[in-house]
Amino acid sequence: MTDKTQRRKAIVKKSIDVILNNQEDNGSYPASPTFPQFHYCWLRDGMFTAEAALEIGHAKEAKKFYQWVNRTLIKHKSIVEGLELKLKNKEKLTSADFLPARFTMTGDLEEPNTDGKPFFFYKWPKLYALEGLGKDGDWPNFQTDCYGAWLWGVANYIKTTDDKAFLIECQSSIDLTIKYLKLTWTMPCFDPWEEYGTKRNIASLGSIAGGLQAINEFYEDEKISGLIEAIKQTILDSAVENGGVFPKYIGASHIDGNSLWLTIPYKVFPIDHPYVVATIKRLEKELLVNGGVKRYYNDVYYGGGEWIVLTCWLGLYYLEADEPKNLFKIS
C-alpha cells in the first residue's frame, strides 16, 4: 500500500468518524463540532452530512436527521402561517418573519431581532470576521436554498431506502416547506455563502427547483410541476442574459462555484445541457485554481481560497459526464 493510499484511507476513516461521532441524540448535526460560533444545525449542511451517512451505509443516522427536521419544522409552522398572512395583508416584513437557515441543536430559534428593521437591509456587521456575531447585528439567516435542500434530501433518502412510510410520516413538514417556497421563491435572499441578500441568486433557485422536483416524483402534483418549470425558466432566462452561462445572481455577469448544484446533485438541468457545459468551462477558467475550486472571482473571505466541497462537486460532475481524465485537474 502506497503512502498516498494510506493517507486517503486515513482521511476517509476520520471523515466517517466525525460524521458518526458528532450527531446529537435527537438527530441534528452541528455545522462544526469544534468551532463554537457554528454550533448550530443548518438544514443544508445537515442534509449533505446525512446524505454522506446514507452513502456510507448509515441509513439509520440519516433518518434520525430527517426526523429531527420534520419535528423542528412542525414546531415552527406558525412562522409560515404568519408570513402568509402578512403577505396577504401587504404588511412590513422583518427577518423574524422567515424560517431560518439554521436552528439551535435542539431545533429552537435564535434570539430574534425586534427592532423592526426591514430584513433586506440588515447586514452582517463584520462580514469577514466572526467576532460579535449575534450581538451587534443580524447574522444572515434567510436562505431559501436550505429548504430546497431538505426536500431533496428527504426525497433521496426515501428513494434510496424505499422507506415509503417515511413520506407519510413527514408529509406535514414537506407540505409546509412547499407552501413556504411558494411564498418566497421570487424574493431576494441571502445566498448559500450568507452574502448578497438583496439579490436573487441562482444556486438558491436551483436548490428550490431541485428539491421540489425530487419530492414531486412521489407527489406527482401538476401545480408543483408548474412551479418547478417557472423557476427553471427564471434560471434559464438569467443565463441567456449572461451569454449562455449561469450567473451568480440574476443580472450578474460573474459566476459562482455553487452553480454546480444545478446539475450535481440536484439535476435541475441535464449534464450535457449547453448552459451547464458553458458554465463548467468558465468555472474551469476562472475558479479552478491550484487543483481546487474558489467560491467566486475576487472572493476575499479568508484570502479567497479553494473550497473542498466545491471541488468535490466538480469531481462528481466529471464522473457523471464521463470525463474521468479531467479528474487530474483537481487534487
Side-chain angles (χ1 to χ4, degrees):
M1 185 182 298
T2 66
D3 289 344
K4 187 174 183 179
T5 300
Q6 288 180 326
R7 288 196 301 272
R8 184 182 296 116
K9 287 193 172 186
I11 291 171
V12 170
K13 182 181 184 303
K14 180 65 174 178
S15 298
I16 293 173
D17 288 344
V18 168
I19 290 172
L20 298 182
N21 294 336
N22 288 285
Q23 186 175 29
E24 297 285 323
D25 290 340
N26 63 15
S28 61
Y29 290 107
S32 172
T34 58
F35 191 47
Q37 287 93 331
F38 284 175
H39 203 70
Y40 294 94
C41 186
W42 274 258
L43 298 193
R44 174 212 320 108
D45 301 41
M47 183 281 286
F48 286 138
T49 306
E51 176 66 12
L54 182 63
E55 288 287 333
I56 58 178
H58 289 271
K60 180 180 177 181
E61 285 74 13
K63 184 175 183 177
K64 280 181 63 178
F65 169 74
Y66 293 122
Q67 288 174 320
W68 175 85
V69 177
N70 177 50
R71 294 191 303 270
T72 297
L73 294 184
I74 293 303
K75 180 162 58 173
H76 300 296
K77 67 178 181 178
S78 62
I79 295 177
V80 179
E81 294 167 348
L83 175 63
E84 185 177 31
L85 184 60
K86 276 196 166 186
L87 289 172
K88 181 180 178 179
N89 295 332
K90 298 182 180 180
E91 296 179 40
K92 180 180 178 181
L93 300 176
T94 72
S95 57
D97 291 318
F98 297 87
L99 287 172
R102 62 185 179 273
F103 294 89
T104 68
M105 302 305 292
T106 56
D108 296 314
L109 303 177
E110 298 174 59
E111 290 296 320
N113 288 288
T114 57
D115 60 10
K117 292 182 180 178
F119 74 97
F120 286 141
F121 302 100
Y122 257 15
K123 294 182 179 179
W124 189 348
K126 297 182 178 179
L127 190 56
Y128 301 114
L130 295 170
E131 303 88 12
L133 289 182
K135 296 178 181 178
D136 301 319
D138 192 30
W139 185 4
N141 210 2
F142 176 42
Q143 296 176 294
T144 52
D145 77 281
C146 290
Y147 289 87
W150 137 251
L151 289 181
W152 184 89
V154 71
N156 190 59
Y157 166 82
I158 294 167
K159 187 175 182 179
T160 301
T161 62
D162 199 33
D163 187 357
K164 299 292 178 55
F166 195 53
L167 180 65
I168 299 172
E169 180 180 335
C170 295
Q171 185 171 351
S172 292
S173 62
I174 290 171
D175 290 348
L176 184 72
T177 302
I178 293 170
K179 175 187 282 190
Y180 181 67
L181 292 175
K182 286 179 179 178
L183 294 173
T184 60
W185 81 270
T186 59
M187 296 182 182
C189 72
F190 289 97
D191 66 18
W193 309 118
E194 299 176 334
E195 299 173 356
Y196 293 91
T198 62
K199 305 296 184 182
R200 295 179 66 197
N201 64 88
I202 299 305
S204 294
L205 290 170
S207 297
I208 295 170
L212 290 170
Q213 185 172 265
I215 207 66
N216 207 37
E217 289 185 27
F218 300 103
Y219 276 39
E220 297 182 337
D221 185 297
E222 291 186 3
K223 290 184 178 180
I224 296 176
S225 295
L227 176 59
I228 294 166
E229 290 307 311
I231 299 171
K232 289 172 68 173
Q233 190 59 56
T234 299
I235 297 171
L236 290 172
D237 290 345
S238 74
V240 170
E241 294 175 1
N242 195 36
V245 173
F246 295 117
K248 181 174 177 62
Y249 52 80
I250 293 177
S253 59
H254 53 299
I255 63 172
D256 192 295
N258 274 332
S259 294
L260 288 159
W261 285 353
L262 294 173
T263 186
I264 300 292
Y266 296 132
K267 300 185 184 303
V268 179
F269 301 108
I271 205 83
D272 58 351
H273 190 286
Y275 293 170
V276 171
V277 174
T279 302
I280 294 295
K281 288 182 178 179
R282 186 162 164 190
L283 182 149
E284 290 173 330
K285 181 179 178 181
E286 297 181 6
L287 305 184
L288 183 57
V289 179
N290 300 321
V293 178
K294 294 165 63 75
R295 301 194 304 168
Y296 49 86
Y297 189 68
N298 285 340
D299 181 17
V300 298
Y301 182 71
Y302 278 93
E306 300 78 48
W307 289 62
I308 293 173
V309 66
L310 296 177
T311 308
C312 172
W313 297 134
L314 182 59
L316 290 172
Y317 168 84
Y318 287 146
L319 290 174
E320 186 77 14
D322 195 23
E323 299 175 2
K325 291 183 179 179
N326 282 336
L327 289 170
F328 291 102
K329 295 179 180 180
I330 60 179
S331 57

